[in-house]
Every structure is written in structure tokens, then in C-alpha cells.
Amino acid sequence: MTTTGNLAPRPVPRRTVHVRRVRFSHPDGALRRHYVDGDLVMSHVLAVLSATFPPGEDFFVRAVRHYRDQITDLELTAQVRGFIGQEVVHGREHDHLNQALRQMGYPTQLIHRFIDKVLILFDRALPARVRLGFTAGLEHYTATIAEHLLTDPRAQALLGDTEVRSILLWHALEESEHKAVAFDVYRAVGGTERMRIWTMRVISTLLIAHVVAATALSMLTDRATYNPIRLVHSLARLRHSPFLTREVIRALRAYNRRRFHPDDIDSTQLLEHWRAELFGPQGTLTGKLK
Ligand SMILES: [Fe+2]
Ligand SMILES: [Fe+2]
């Protein structure tokens, strides 16, 4: 193996990646306009991410499914099934949330349609392996943010006691559960280290540009943005956001190390804790399972 070439596939360890059929409800008026702790910018950032998830997750599923027949490791085959099922339910539940956000004035439908078009273009224009590299890289973003949300009480506190909190905690748990699946598929089909790292660089640039531009556009549709005191206060708060800490940036960058693997960041205990907390016998979301 060269340092830039592909790594020999190793047997995939057992991981629990099973699909939970949850259903959340969003009655009219359940959320206040700035549902992230009354904060203008963060409420728009989260709406942009939520609008991006369903078409993004469809893209991930297409990218991984393309290689399903080439996987010979039975454990990985089972995890791919779990991964696809989990992402399908995430997309559906975020679609419901996005309808509620749209009623509140967020341009979630516009963002969804735009991203869908871009990603369908990617399907047509890019080799399957590049799309799988993008997927593995983006899954590192979702897993890193997810594990940070599950670890940092300050991040959880921003979400108050709303259905958005429930959706994000459930989604975060499953993103951490399946964080290595697209990565292991990439490795199993012979994806190189060099391509893994450059696809991550490309997709990082596109993701950051998208989130910044779509958030700016979303905020332009909100009257509160034109209140300079609120705007300046919210932008100042962003600098101390629990989601933009040094640890988060360090964990994101770890992916660019040669021989990195998502399992390098051990999440066993975190997952055990949150599985019990959300879906154990006394779990706060057990009642949402259908
Ligand atoms: Fe997801
Ligand atoms: Fe995911």
C-alpha cells in the first residue's frame, strides 16, 4: 500500500445500525419564530440544514446503493441496509419539519429544490466513486456535529424543549451509529486515500458556501434581520456558538489525515447513553416509535 493509494479492506466490526420508525408531530404554533433559543442567525442556519437534509440524504443513499452489489462483507451489507433505512426516515421526518418551518416563513422548499437539482446534476456529471467520496466526507460532518450535540449540554440547551430538539437528538444518535458505513463502503470498493481527502476538500468548500449563502438568503426574508440591534447581537453570539468550537474544527479536520477511520473517535459509551435516554424503557422518545 502507498500512502496515497487504497488501504486493504479490513473486516468490518459489528455495529448496531437499525432503523427506528419514529414519527414526530408539528402542530401549528408549537414553535416560536426563532426557535433556537430566540436566536435569529442560528434559527436560520438550522432551517437551512434541515431543508438540505432530505435531498442530501437521498444523494447519500443513491451513492451507497450504487455499490451495494459489490460488497462481499456480510456485516457491511447489513449495515448498508440499516444506513439506507435510517437516512430514508431522516429525510421523511425532516420533510415534515420543513413544512412547519415553511409555514413560519422559512424558505425551506426553495432550498430543498435547489439542492435537489444540484445533486441530480452531480449524479449525471460525476463518477460514482467521487459521489461516494463526497458522501463519506459529508457523513463525517454530520457525525462530528451529531456527536458534539450529544456531548455538549450547551448545544442541547440551545434547542430548549421543542420537537426540533427531539428530531435532532434522534437524528444525531443515528448519524453517530452509522458514521462509518459510507466510509467502509468507499474503502471496500477500492477508494484511494488521495481521492478520499480531495473529495472532502471539495465538498467542504461547497458545503460552507451553501450554508453561508442559503442562510443569508433565508435571513433576507425575515423582518427581524432588518433590526440592527438584533442582527449584531445574533452575529456576535455566533462567535461563541457551541457548534463552532476548536474541538469541532479539530475533529472535522482529522478526516484529512492519512489512514483516518471514523472509528478512531470512539463513540461506544455516548451511543449507549443516548440509546437508553431516548429509546430505553423510560426513553423520552420511545412513545414516538411506530
Ligand atoms: Fe441522516
Ligand atoms: Fe448519515
Side-chain angles (χ1 to χ4, degrees):
M1 201 264 335
T2 64
T3 51
T4 55
N6 53 329
L7 299 171
R10 56 182 192 181
V12 172
R14 262 191 76 95
R15 299 186 192 104
T16 310
V17 187
H18 78 257
V19 186
R20 299 177 184 87
R21 310 258 166 222
V22 287
R23 188 53 85 118
F24 297 93
S25 59
H26 309 283
D28 281 353
L31 287 176
R32 55 180 174 150
R33 177 69 160 108
H34 300 112
Y35 54 94
V36 182
D37 200 28
D39 190 83
L40 173 69
V41 178
M42 276 310 286
S43 299
H44 283 274
V45 170
L46 250 180
V48 165
L49 292 176
S50 186
T52 306
F53 284 141
E57 289 167 327
D58 272 356
F59 173 81
F60 298 170
V61 166
R62 294 195 296 272
V64 169
R65 193 181 270 151
H66 179 87
Y67 286 101
R68 195 163 49 177
D69 296 343
Q70 295 181 32
I71 301 164
T72 50
D73 185 313
L74 291 179
E75 177 59 33
L76 186 54
T77 304
Q79 289 177 24
V80 164
R81 215 176 300 127
F83 166 82
I84 292 175
Q86 286 188 339
E87 294 295 27
V88 167
V89 185
H90 298 169
R92 188 192 68 200
E93 287 308 310
H94 274 277
D95 268 335
H96 292 155
L97 170 62
N98 295 341
Q99 280 165 26
L101 292 172
R102 189 181 168 213
Q103 307 263 308
M104 291 159 60
Y106 291 92
T108 48
Q109 193 182 37
L110 191 77
I111 295 164
H112 179 128
R113 283 190 184 153
F114 170 73
I115 291 298
D116 207 25
K117 287 216 166 80
V118 170
L119 295 177
I120 286 170
L121 215 68
F122 280 11
D123 280 356
R124 292 198 189 129
L126 298 174
R129 196 161 293 186
V130 171
R131 287 183 268 128
L132 187 61
F134 281 174
T135 301
L138 288 167
E139 283 284 287
H140 181 65
Y141 270 93
T142 53
T144 303
I145 306 287
E147 288 175 0
H148 191 68
L149 172 64
L150 297 176
T151 308
D152 186 349
R154 267 198 328 137
Q156 294 152 32
L158 283 180
L159 303 172
D161 199 14
T162 60
E163 199 77 330
V164 174
R165 173 195 171 92
S166 302
I167 289 194
L168 291 180
L169 289 176
W170 154 73
H171 194 166
L173 169 68
E174 295 192 348
E175 286 305 319
S176 177
E177 284 180 332
H178 73 225
K179 67 177 176 180
V181 177
F183 189 102
D184 282 343
V185 171
Y186 177 83
R187 207 175 253 191
V189 300
T192 63
E193 285 291 89
R194 178 179 286 174
M195 182 188 273
R196 179 176 74 71
I197 292 166
W198 76 248
T199 47
M200 178 56 148
R201 294 217 167 106
V202 171
I203 206 64
S204 295
T205 309
L206 295 177
L207 178 70
I208 292 164
H210 161 64
V211 173
V212 170
T215 301
L217 176 117
S218 180
M219 287 177 64
L220 287 174
T221 67
D222 186 339
R223 268 191 187 173
T225 303
Y226 301 90
N227 175 335
I229 296 170
R230 280 202 72 175
L231 181 61
V232 169
H233 180 251
S234 183
L235 286 171
R237 232 182 129 183
L238 197 61
R239 289 186 54 213
H240 305 287
S241 166
F243 292 101
L244 292 176
T245 62
R246 267 196 206 138
E247 294 93 77
V248 173
I249 292 162
R250 204 177 304 131
L252 286 171
R253 285 200 177 139
Y255 191 89
N256 296 334
R257 253 193 344 245
R258 302 209 181 275
R259 309 184 76 93
F260 168 83
H261 189 280
D263 286 345
D264 294 351
I265 300 160
D266 184 11
S267 44
T268 321
Q269 281 189 354
L270 191 67
L271 289 177
E272 264 171 34
H273 169 81
W274 282 100
R275 278 187 193 121
E277 180 79 22
L278 301 179
F279 296 104
Q282 313 293 323
T284 50
L285 301 183
T286 305
K288 307 271 182 200
L289 287 167
K290 294 288 162 236

